[in-house]
Amino acid sequence: PVFTKARAGGVTSLLILPGSANLFGGRGVSVKNVPAVTVQQMKFPGAPYTLKMACGENPKGRYGSRGRAPATRMGEVAGFRRAWIDAAEYGRKVDAYEKKHARGEGGEAPKRDLGLETLAGVLKGDILVQNHCYRADEMAVMLDVGHEFGYKTRAFHHAVEAYKIADLLVADDVCVATWATRWGFKMEAYDAIEENAAILSKAGVCVAIHSDEQRLIQRLNVESAVAIAAGRRAGIDIPQEEAIKWITLNPAKIMGIADKTGSLEPGKMADVVLWSKNPFSVYAIAEKVFIDGALVLDTSDPATRYRSDFEIGQPVGEE
């Protein structure tokens, strides 16, 4: 049901990631928000693979409460480094075998390891890293880990303290996917501020306003407006033509599809939303939503306003 609600909020594409209980949560998937039955029918054509990583309270709390590592933030970094060392070794073995195979030489292929295969893909630059991380000091550490092993972080997600290290993020060309209004729900979220997106944007960071759950995805435009207003109160006036990138072009960059969608340019996919008012107005409604040029939502046409059985519910029988 939430895919339909997201379309009603003007969302044409989504990056869906595994949860944040593990250091490496697994691969994410980019999809086009079209009505379909299977993931394969929705997958965004040509989108690169992504890897979800997580640092901070979630993994250390998950495992520490069970008496297992990583139980501390130091333990998390040790786990990351061990994994990257193993991935680099695995990649070397695979490369050596492929070179021998290309020369017609014998030898047994290394046993396929799906986890190390994904990490090796990151080290080769083929898979984009999406890192769940809240605190500024931890984001800085994760950048250091990336420097040590030669991989780049495409975006820090949530990143409520990113405003403290805007200079580091600019230097490494790392994006931030964050909120404006969510804070204080755990210790590492207590230094969140509504001005985060505006401060980062002014500094030159690629900023996206994300949802991370099924309600906020319906009003990313309003969440962006909150961030704009907070910036203005702090003396940071982000132009609306720049702020609209927070929910259009910049998310596309994070997903690795900015060459295909995210802005109105010749040659790109016709993923277009027509709003009833300025999209940063709380009264704005996505009146028409086009994906690949096809009209998938029209508020004047009930036939496009799909409701699932989950929302309709079950009929009440007579007693």
Side-chain angles (χ1 to χ4, degrees), residues 56-220:
E57 288 185 30
N58 287 18
K60 85 179 185 70
R62 175 79 172 179
Y63 288 90
S65 64
R66 290 162 172 76
R68 297 168 56 192
T72 65
R73 285 178 163 85
M74 286 190 297
E76 289 179 348
V77 176
F80 284 127
R81 297 179 76 196
R82 281 194 299 269
W84 292 122
I85 289 171
D86 291 344
E89 181 180 3
Y90 178 80
R92 286 192 293 269
K93 289 180 179 179
V94 172
D95 289 345
Y97 166 76
E98 290 179 348
K99 288 179 180 177
K100 286 184 177 180
H101 185 70
R103 294 195 298 265
E105 299 177 8
E108 185 176 354
K111 179 181 178 181
R112 190 177 182 190
D113 184 306
L114 296 180
L116 293 178
E117 183 178 286
T118 292
L119 299 188
V122 170
L123 297 180
K124 288 183 177 181
D126 297 332
I127 298 176
L128 308 181
V129 170
Q130 313 289 343
N131 196 339
H132 163 115
C133 210
Y134 282 74
R135 284 178 16 182
D137 58 327
E138 288 191 278
M139 286 182 271
V141 169
M142 295 308 296
L143 291 176
D144 288 340
V145 173
H147 295 159
E148 179 180 2
F149 293 97
Y151 73 86
K152 284 186 64 68
T153 297
R154 175 55 62 105
F156 285 117
H157 290 246
H158 316 325
V160 297
E161 291 187 14
Y163 61 93
K164 300 179 181 180
I165 56 165
D167 56 337
L168 298 182
L169 299 173
V170 170
D172 269 35
D173 190 26
V174 179
C175 296
V176 165
T178 190
W179 312 281
T181 56
R182 294 194 67 189
W183 72 281
F185 47 91
K186 53 183 175 177
M187 285 297 296
E188 62 188 7
Y190 264 73
D191 245 0
I193 59 174
E194 290 184 346
E195 300 88 349
N196 189 29
I199 292 172
L200 293 169
S201 191
K202 182 180 179 181
V205 178
C206 159
V207 177
I209 298 295
H210 72 347
S211 61
D212 201 45
E213 47 91 2
Q214 69 271 27
R215 291 170 295 274
L216 188 57
I217 198 171
Q218 302 174 44
R219 56 179 189 275
L220 293 174

Side-chain angles (χ1 to χ4, degrees), residues 27-30 43 46-51 126-130 255:
R27 294 199 189 194
V29 61
S30 295
K43 283 183 72 173
Y49 288 112
T50 61
L51 169 67
D126 297 332
I127 298 176
L128 308 181
V129 170
Q130 313 289 343
M255 297 164 70

Side-chain angles (χ1 to χ4, degrees), residues 1-8 11 14 16 31-34 42:
V2 180
F3 286 117
T4 301
K5 299 298 186 186
R7 278 196 297 276
V11 176
L14 306 93
I16 303 173
V31 301
K32 306 213 77 167
N33 196 8
V34 294
M42 296 181 71

Side-chain angles (χ1 to χ4, degrees), residues 1-8 10-14 16 30-45 269-272 289-297 304 306:
V2 180
F3 286 117
T4 301
K5 299 298 186 186
R7 278 196 297 276
V11 176
T12 60
S13 300
L14 306 93
I16 303 173
S30 295
V31 301
K32 306 213 77 167
N33 196 8
V34 294
V37 176
T38 70
V39 175
Q40 293 297 336
Q41 292 171 330
M42 296 181 71
K43 283 183 72 173
F44 196 109
M269 296 171 172
D271 299 335
V272 182
V289 178
F290 299 86
I291 298 179
D292 290 329
L295 182 63
V296 295
L297 177 72
T304 67
Y306 172 76

